[in-house]
Amino acid sequence: MQRTTLRRRLTLLFWTIIVSVVVVMGVFIARQGKLVLIDQARRTGVALTRSISATAINDFFSLEQKAEEAARDPEVAYIVLYDKEGNVAAYSGQGIPGSESEIPPLKEIAPGKDPIVTGSLLIGNPGPGLDIVLPVLLTDTDQIWGTVRLGLRLDRIYSQVQKTYWVIFMLGLSGVLIGWAASAHFTSRITVPLGNLVDATVKVSDGDFNARIEASTGDEIQDLAENFNWMVARLKDQRNNLMENLQEISRLKHYSDLVILSMTNGLITMDADGEIITFNRKAEEILDTPAGQALGSTPTEIWGQSNSVTRLLAESLSKRSPISDQEIQWPGKTGEDRILELNTALVQEENGRVIGLLALFHDLTEKKALEVKVRRADRLAAMGTLAAGLAHEIKNPLTAVRAFVQMLPEKHDKEVFREKFDRIVPRELDRVNELLENLLDLVRTPKLKIAPLNITECVDYVLETLEPEIQSRSIIVKRFADDEGLQVHADNSYLNRALYNIALNAVQAMPDGGTLTVETTANPVPGKKHLADIRISDTGTGIPQEHTKDIFNPFFTSKEKGTGLGLAITNKIIEDQGGTILVESERGEGTTFTVTLPSAAGN
């Protein structure tokens, strides 16, 4: 359906209103004029009739004469005088030719003084007119003397009314034309700027922000045009700002894409439904999967339900639980499994709602192979150090034993020699045996009895064993525990031995007294096993910075009579039980050993 314009609608509306007003006014004026003229003619006819009837009753001749004079008026069609029986007594007129016998008599004579006016003339008088009948009464009585009947033509009045109609029509037509022209001009003042506004709006929607509307109407239309121009100017400024921001966003996106592509780790991002959104170049290389196959798919669709990566990613997303440093095996192209490290993080909005998952893959295969080589080299180096230390430690007691053995043939008979031999040789052999036992503890795999163990009881046992040493050196002991019932998974005997070695070193580091602090705390780590920490601190001389990396090596010691095996054995005991040991020391301030073990609180 074709749409009409607002200008046409307004022009048609104004034209309809003007035509309606002009027509109504014209019809009303013409009708009222006609009624006024007819009423005026009626009044004239009635007045003339009264004038004729007012002639002296006994002077019938004068009455007839006056009627004939009145009948000469071109607007008077006829005048008929009736007697009291209603018969024609006299006739003057221009309508019916012949005698008055052709004039019909009055059938009834209505009493009263008011005239009777009808709207039709007698037969023989064509055209519109008024028929006026007025009884003539005797003086001061109600007796009818006779009747006067006057016919009044309305041709002139109707002609005048017709002219009036034409005048009104022409005036109305002129008013309609003038009104149409005025309405067209008025609507153009509204619709032309609105049309320009529509055109300018289309241009702006097409990206032309130079469109302007010029209107000097001095009214709301001009205000609208000025506001539109101001709005377009603002839109242009905002468009320019948006274009600048878009260029900046595009530049940042391009840069971020390059960063993602250049990452040395494989990067995968998934939405809340588990579909892969990002799959960088390194992920293609590590997981041996094209990005085109991965994007838009779920890990299950790519690698299957039983795949370890699929399972870990699904669990991390569904349980809203990040994964840290998870090592997995991934089949390589050559058939050998590669070792990958997986870390995940939840992608969250500001309100905390999770909208996806980010996963980082790092290929540890070469690193693990290098670590094996380094450990092999370390073991070889340790074996060299161990051999050198062992040779040094065994050499002294063996030298003493050799000397006594060499002197045995010569001094066998001397009792003093035999007493020294029996005392020194077994002692030195026991010393060699103890050294070998410690070495065996260092290299062999112990049969551990791992069970939940109360840390407080272990600490109490160690401090009670060292009580003589602590009291002899006037050392103050401080105990701190988050939970007296804190338990760890460990072997009671081996853990006591390890803690004893650490505490003994701390006590021996304070020959002139000091403070020994033992602190036990829970150490929960999200995404990992629950842990527990045991900190043993002293205020002794401290360990030189250059020695801290060697204190766990066999035969490394700063003591005059030490073998250097105590901390090495302690470190092995803690590692065999799934724990770690760290040392922090500052020269002149003291040393802190932190032992971390799996907690029995759960996983």
Side-chain angles (χ1 to χ4, degrees):
M1 182 178 180
Q2 186 176 4
R3 298 174 59 186
T4 183
T5 62
L6 178 62
R7 183 174 184 179
R8 290 179 181 177
R9 291 183 179 180
L10 289 177
T11 302
L12 181 61
L13 175 63
F14 291 147
W15 186 81
T16 302
I17 294 174
I18 292 171
V19 169
S20 300
V21 172
V22 170
V23 170
V24 171
M25 290 182 62
V27 171
F28 177 78
I29 293 173
R31 183 178 180 84
Q32 289 300 113
K34 178 180 179 181
L35 293 177
V36 169
L37 290 176
I38 292 176
D39 185 65
Q40 184 64 34
R42 179 180 176 279
R43 291 176 182 275
T44 301
V46 170
L48 183 57
T49 304
R50 290 185 183 278
S51 176
I52 295 174
S53 65
T55 306
I57 296 174
N58 296 325
D59 192 357
F60 183 79
F61 177 76
S62 298
L63 179 60
E64 186 177 6
Q65 184 179 8
K66 189 170 185 179
E68 290 179 356
E69 291 177 359
R72 295 190 185 97
D73 189 337
E75 293 185 359
V76 176
Y78 54 81
I79 298 177
V80 182
L81 299 178
Y82 294 95
D83 58 17
K84 62 181 179 179
E85 285 80 12
N87 297 318
V88 177
Y91 170 74
S92 299
Q94 307 167 12
I96 302 176
S99 63
E100 62 266 12
S101 61
E102 298 182 7
I103 302 301
L106 286 177
K107 296 181 179 180
E108 296 181 358
I109 301 176
K113 298 179 180 181
D114 294 330
I116 298 173
V117 181
T118 60
S120 61
L121 298 176
L122 293 176
I123 299 173
N125 292 278
L130 296 175
D131 186 40
I132 304 171
V133 178
L134 179 65
V136 180
L137 305 177
L138 295 177
T139 304
D140 299 329
T141 64
D142 292 334
Q143 286 186 315
I144 297 177
W145 175 84
T147 303
V148 178
R149 187 173 189 176
L150 184 141
L152 190 64
R153 288 194 178 93
L154 299 179
D155 302 76
R156 186 180 62 82
I157 292 176
Y158 274 82
S159 176
Q160 187 175 356
V161 169
Q162 192 70 23
K163 293 179 181 179
T164 303
Y165 282 171
W166 276 105
V167 171
I168 292 175
F169 173 76
M170 296 305 296
L171 291 176
L173 181 60
S174 301
V176 168
L177 295 176
I178 294 173
W180 178 81
S183 64
H185 175 69
F186 176 75
T187 55
S188 65
R189 286 171 59 88
I190 299 176
T191 57
V192 170
L194 291 179
N196 295 335
L197 176 62
V198 172
D199 295 337
T201 304
V202 173
K203 292 180 180 179
V204 172
S205 65
D206 292 337
D208 183 8
F209 289 90
N210 294 320
R212 293 291 182 272
I213 301 177
E214 301 297 335
S216 302
T217 58
D219 52 16
E220 289 83 354
I221 299 298
Q222 183 175 348
D223 294 339
L224 177 63
E226 292 175 353
N227 290 334
F228 177 82
N229 294 335
W230 177 83
M231 180 188 69
V232 171
R234 291 294 304 274
L235 288 175
K236 183 177 181 180
D237 294 339
Q238 293 181 3
R239 195 271 303 267
N240 294 335
N241 293 334
L242 288 175
M243 291 300 295
E244 293 177 359
N245 293 336
L246 181 60
Q247 292 177 356
E248 181 66 17
I249 292 173
S250 299
R251 187 184 66 81
L252 292 176
K253 182 180 182 302
H254 179 67
Y255 183 77
S256 63
D257 291 341
L258 292 179
V259 170
I260 292 174
L261 289 174
S262 303
M263 289 178 61
T264 57
N265 291 338
L267 173 66
I268 295 178
T269 61
M270 301 188 303
D271 60 16
D273 297 327
E275 291 188 358
I276 296 177
I277 306 300
T278 305
F279 201 85
N280 72 343
R281 187 182 301 162
K282 196 64 177 179
E284 293 183 87
E285 177 183 340
I286 293 176
L287 301 176
D288 193 22
T289 303
Q293 177 185 352
L295 294 175
S297 302
T298 63
T300 302
E301 295 172 344
I302 303 172
W303 302 303
Q305 183 69 37
S306 60
N307 186 275
S308 58
V309 171
T310 300
R311 178 176 52 80
L312 291 172
L313 293 180
E315 290 180 358
S316 180
L317 183 59
S318 61
K319 295 181 180 180
R320 303 293 192 264
S321 176
I323 297 174
S324 299
D325 303 333
Q326 178 70 49
E327 292 187 4
I328 56 177
Q329 289 186 340
W330 187 263
K333 294 180 180 180
T334 59
E336 296 181 358
D337 289 344
R338 288 182 295 168
I339 302 175
L340 306 182
E341 182 183 73
L342 172 62
N343 290 272
T344 65
L346 298 176
V347 181
Q348 297 176 309
E349 293 182 337
E350 295 180 355
N351 58 6
R353 187 171 71 93
V354 177
I355 61 173
L357 183 73
L358 182 146
L360 287 176
F361 293 87
H362 184 58
D363 193 344
L364 300 179
T365 306
E366 295 183 0
K367 179 181 178 182
K368 290 293 183 179
L370 183 60
E371 288 178 353
V372 171
K373 294 180 181 179
V374 171
R375 284 196 297 269
R376 186 182 298 117
D378 288 343
R379 284 198 300 270
L380 293 175
M383 289 178 63
T385 304
L386 180 63
L390 180 61
H392 176 75
E393 293 295 329
I394 294 179
K395 182 178 181 180
N396 292 332
L398 289 181
T399 301
V401 171
R402 179 183 179 183
F404 274 95
V405 170
Q406 289 176 348
M407 291 186 294
L408 180 61
E410 298 178 4
K411 299 182 178 182
H412 181 269
D413 296 333
K414 295 182 179 180
E415 185 177 354
V416 175
F417 174 79
R418 290 198 303 271
E419 291 178 354
K420 287 185 179 180
F421 184 91
D422 293 338
R423 184 177 67 251
I424 294 175
V425 170
R427 185 187 67 189
E428 294 300 319
L429 291 177
D430 288 340
R431 181 179 172 187
V432 173
N433 183 64
E434 180 183 1
L435 179 62
L436 293 177
E437 287 293 333
N438 288 334
L439 287 176
L440 289 175
D441 288 339
L442 186 63
V443 297
R444 67 188 172 188
T445 302
K447 296 181 179 179
L448 301 175
K449 297 179 181 179
I450 303 296
L453 182 65
N454 189 294
I455 297 181
T456 302
E457 295 178 358
C458 291
V459 171
D460 290 341
Y461 173 82
V462 170
L463 294 178
E464 183 179 359
T465 305
L466 289 173
E467 186 174 354
E469 290 283 341
I470 293 174
Q471 291 179 351
S472 65
R473 299 170 188 262
S474 301
I475 295 174
I476 300 174
V477 178
K478 292 183 179 181
R479 292 280 308 278
F480 298 98
D482 287 346
D483 182 4
E484 293 291 342
L486 183 62
Q487 293 184 334
V488 296
H489 283 295
D491 182 285
N492 187 17
S493 176
Y494 279 92
L495 181 59
N496 287 339
R497 182 178 177 183
L499 296 180
Y500 177 84
N501 288 338
I502 296 174
L504 178 61
N505 282 344
V507 170
Q508 292 176 349
M510 298 181 289
D512 299 328
T515 301
L516 176 65
T517 304
V518 182
E519 181 181 3
T520 58
T521 59
N523 182 14
V525 179
K528 294 186 176 182
K529 293 182 178 180
H530 291 196
L531 304 174
D533 291 340
I534 307 170
R535 295 183 182 89
I536 301 176
S537 304
D538 64 65
T539 57
T541 57
I543 303 173
Q545 187 68 31
E546 62 273 13
H547 292 171
T548 54
K549 66 179 184 298
D550 298 322
I551 60 175
F552 296 114
N553 292 335
F555 298 108
F556 177 84
T557 181
S558 60
K559 301 176 184 178
E560 294 182 359
K561 297 182 179 181
T563 61
L565 294 177
L567 287 179
I569 295 174
T570 298
N571 182 54
K572 184 176 184 302
I573 291 174
I574 298 301
E575 288 184 348
D576 288 342
Q577 299 181 84
T580 59
I581 181 169
L582 298 176
V583 60
E584 298 176 13
S585 183
E586 186 173 350
R587 194 65 174 168
E589 298 293 333
T591 304
T592 298
F593 284 85
T594 302
V595 176
T596 302
L597 293 168
S599 173
N603 293 335

